[in-house]
Amino acid sequence: MVGGGVRDLLLGREPKDFDVATDATPEDVKQVFRNCRLIGRRFRLAHVHFGREIIEVATFRGMHESTSDQARQDSENGMLLRDNVYGTIEEDALRRDFTVNALYYNIEDFSVVDYADGLKDLEAGVLRLLGDPEQRYREDPVRMLRAARFAAKLGFTINPACEKPLLENGDLLDGVPPARLFDELLKLFLGGTALHAFEKLRHFDLFRHLFPETEECLSHEEQGFPITFVIRGLKNTDTRVREGKPVTPAFLFAVFLWEPTRLRAQQLEAEGRSRHDAMMEAGREVISRQISRVSIPKRFSLQMREIWNMQHRLELRGKRALRLLEHPRFRAAYDFLLLRAESGEADVELAEWWTLIQDVSEEKRIEMVNATGGGGRKRRRRPRKRPAKE
Ligand code: ATP
Ligand code: MG
């Protein structure tokens, strides 16, 4: 066993998953385990399924001496495109990212094998890249995000020689495929330490390479609503993860991109578009720019837009709005409204109204709607334009 599983067990934490390394090739592994599937986007790996669990089994990977080998290709800026050369366990250790991630637990004699002084760093709480830090970030810029993630998750410090290039090389992230960044963001923000991760990313000036428009808004208003809103959203997510409640990337991404979307919608409204149209269009624009950086699978971007579009309908409170209670995305949109209200961007009284109405009888609901002048009687009345309370 290698990597996070060993690291976390030694730290007395519960490992998220178990990674296995072996000198058997993926094909060999498949011969041994019937419940095995070979996968491989970047690397060829064996996934061994045990019920719901998947144990990832990787064949020891070597360094890349044989330059003629087709198995290894570099892009111009030194980024590793494929590296699928098998090697020895010592070589396998050296191509891992951090020393604390290069510890092996040998089930043959129950020993921990440490080729890279990982135990020392583990005790000291230090993240240290193997080899030359800048070169290692260059080979795979996602390691920069991993540095921020492990620092946040483990509360480790980053060794100074590995920290400095972080501040200088954020641009490298611009060359990483958007789909890979999305995968990494899930790990960064849905692991229970989202707020810390966010703070680290901003500290190293990496955040702007992931969410440029969000960073633009945040940098203009260091203390204002946008940052309060994002921080609350992240805290919210961390609490839910701790409590074992489900979290969706859609909500989190909707939080991150709300301010750019809201501002753009305001602009479009000022140009004469209806509130609804403006929000639809702003959402479309912001998401389409965002996915050129970090991809967002369609099912999530649809949910994000529903959450955003429903904000306006929640503000109307009329009879039609009542139907929102049945909407599959109501809960998310309501939580989103609460966050906005707590951060001072939406009406607190409006949020309370929606909190209350969920708990009362059908009769009382109609009463509440009528009390807002939300038009209960007439059929198909167009939603009244309410001035936004900002
Ligand atoms: P966790 O599972 O808690 O997120 P982890 O360290 O196990 O942390 P994984 O992404 O599961 O992280 O990777 C397993 C191991 O593979 C790592 O511990 C590390 O040794 C190696 N590894 C993963 N990604 C990289 C990378 N980009 N560069 C070098 N080695 C990597
Ligand atoms: Mg792991």
Side-chain angles (χ1 to χ4, degrees), residues 3-4 7 16-17 96-97 101 140 143 146 149 153:
R7 179 197 68 217
K16 207 182 70 202
D17 50 29
R96 291 183 179 270
D97 48 4
N101 284 348
D140 181 3
R143 289 173 186 149
R146 290 174 62 88
R149 173 158 73 92
K153 165 175 161 165

Side-chain angles (χ1 to χ4, degrees), residues 18 68 109 187 191 312:
F18 296 102
S68 63
D109 60 3
K187 294 191 201 165
H312 168 51

